[in-house]
Amino acid sequence: MQGRELRGLLHPFLLLLILERPGHGYDLIERLVAMGVSDVEPGHVYRVLRGLERDRSVTSTWETGGAGPARRCYTLTLKGRDDLRSWVAHLTYLNQVIDVCLQRSTNAVERSRGGQRDRYAATHG
């Protein structure tokens, strides 16, 4: 999927990644890429993380150890776990609707191909 299509799904993706393992922004971006979300803008990821922090779904602390500058490490809160559960329920429903759409599309394409062959065979047969 393209970055624009996934923008609205960054919330549950980031909540999941942080549940799996707390991390800092660039780490989370790399893990998003590993999930297949490669076209997302880093600035947008950071805006979503700040929003999740404002909503108290995640907390952040400054890590100053190691090489390089200090960076925020994001951790999921209890509210964040609840938010992720809600997102999973919503995504499960969305997945069911998409599955129905894909199946109906497949069936419609197969029916239309059969109809085209029948018309061709009748006129050229």
Side-chain angles (χ1 to χ4, degrees), residues 1 8 15 17 29 32 37 40 56-57 59 72 79 81 83-84 92 94 100 104 108 110-112 117 121 123-124:
M1 290 182 109
L15 291 171
L17 292 175
I29 291 168
L32 282 168
V37 184
V40 70
R56 298 191 173 124
S57 297
T59 59
R72 287 184 183 268
K79 182 185 180 306
R81 287 176 183 263
D83 292 348
L84 181 56
T92 299
L94 182 60
V100 168
R104 288 179 68 171
E110 288 173 2
R111 280 192 309 274
S112 71
R117 278 194 292 257
T123 58
H124 294 87

Side-chain angles (χ1 to χ4, degrees), residues 4-56:
R4 284 178 284 152
E5 295 166 332
L6 295 175
R7 285 175 76 114
L9 297 176
L10 281 180
H11 287 81
F13 292 168
L14 289 168
L15 291 171
L16 172 62
L17 292 175
I18 295 168
L19 173 64
E20 290 176 339
R21 184 181 78 238
H24 58 84
Y26 280 111
D27 170 56
L28 293 167
I29 291 168
E30 288 174 358
R31 290 162 56 199
L32 282 168
V33 170
M35 278 179 61
V37 184
S38 58
D39 288 349
V40 70
E41 297 173 21
H44 188 70
V45 171
Y46 283 105
R47 283 190 294 278
V48 170
L49 287 169
R50 283 192 300 274
L52 291 172
E53 194 166 20
R54 269 192 312 275
D55 293 343
R56 298 191 173 124

Side-chain angles (χ1 to χ4, degrees), residues 59-78:
T59 59
S60 69
T61 55
W62 285 101
E63 286 185 345
T64 56
R71 52 191 176 186
R72 287 184 183 268
C73 182
Y74 295 91
T75 305
L76 202 64
T77 64
L78 289 175

Side-chain angles (χ1 to χ4, degrees), residues 104-115:
R104 288 179 68 171
S105 175
T106 298
N107 293 342
V109 167
E110 288 173 2
R111 280 192 309 274
S112 71
R113 284 184 185 155

